Amino acid sequence: MSVLRVSRTHFPVTALGPGARLGVWVQGCSLACKGCMSQDTWSPGGGVDVPVADLVALWREAAGRGADGVTVSGGEPLQQPEALREFLAGVHAERGAADILVYTGYEESELDERRRNAVEFADVLVTGRFDITRPTALIWRGSANQRMVPRTDLGRRRYAQHVDHEPERPPLQVRADGSGIWLIGTPRQGGLAALERGLRASGLPVESATWRLRSPGQSG
Ligand code: SF4
């Protein structure tokens, strides 16, 4: 069985998709969107190799705790198409009523056969590169060009109400672990700077941040 290069996982994620979800952030992205908030996931040499079987076991555990779905983000999930497909097939085989949401920086028109196969089991895709010049208030999207595309009956039933939804505030989670704090969700323009100011005001200086590791244009 293959391995997926993973940056991190978390349960419950409540800021990227409906309900409480298993979040899987893959490692490696060569698309290098200016202003990407997850630049720590760009290098294919970062993160860790996780056997797909272990990730499916993680899903099983999350499902046992009432997970409503899986969200795969990154990094660029479609740059590991075979392992991604295997993971999503494993989730799909024992998902019950849970849904599968995958974020990709690729447009639908850029999905070749390998990439299309990779997301065969996804109920919903959020597609398109992050474009810092096109801010948005749409839920679970980072910029106005990104499209939420339900692909199955379950995806349409569960996500139709969210496709054009603009909440007053974006859902966000802040998590802390041994290496620092990290943000889950899609903050609005200026949200990351506001977070840094808030942390400083609370006596927590931000020494480095995943949204300004590299200068614009520098790639993975
Ligand atoms: S926002 Fe762009 S650069 Fe960042 S992980 Fe997504 S596709 Fe890659």
Side-chain angles (χ1 to χ4, degrees), residues 28-39 41-42 73-76 104-106 128-130 146:
C29 178
S30 62
L31 300 181
C33 307
K34 181 181 175 184
C36 166
M37 67 178 275
S38 307
Q39 294 175 33
T41 65
W42 285 6
S73 186
E76 176 46 64
T104 174
Y106 292 109
R129 289 159 184 68
F130 171 67
Q146 293 180 325

Side-chain angles (χ1 to χ4, degrees), residues 79-102:
Q79 291 184 357
Q80 302 182 64
E82 283 77 22
L84 176 68
R85 179 186 167 84
E86 221 172 297
F87 171 52
L88 298 187
V91 170
H92 189 266
E94 44 188 291
R95 69 173 175 162
D99 71 87
I100 298 173
L101 165 64
V102 177

Side-chain angles (χ1 to χ4, degrees), residues 78 81-82 106-119:
L78 294 189
E82 283 77 22
Y106 292 109
E107 304 288 348
E108 272 191 299
S109 59
E110 294 178 292
L111 302 191
D112 57 16
E113 196 180 342
R114 283 175 75 214
R115 293 175 189 149
R116 275 199 307 277
N117 283 339
V119 291

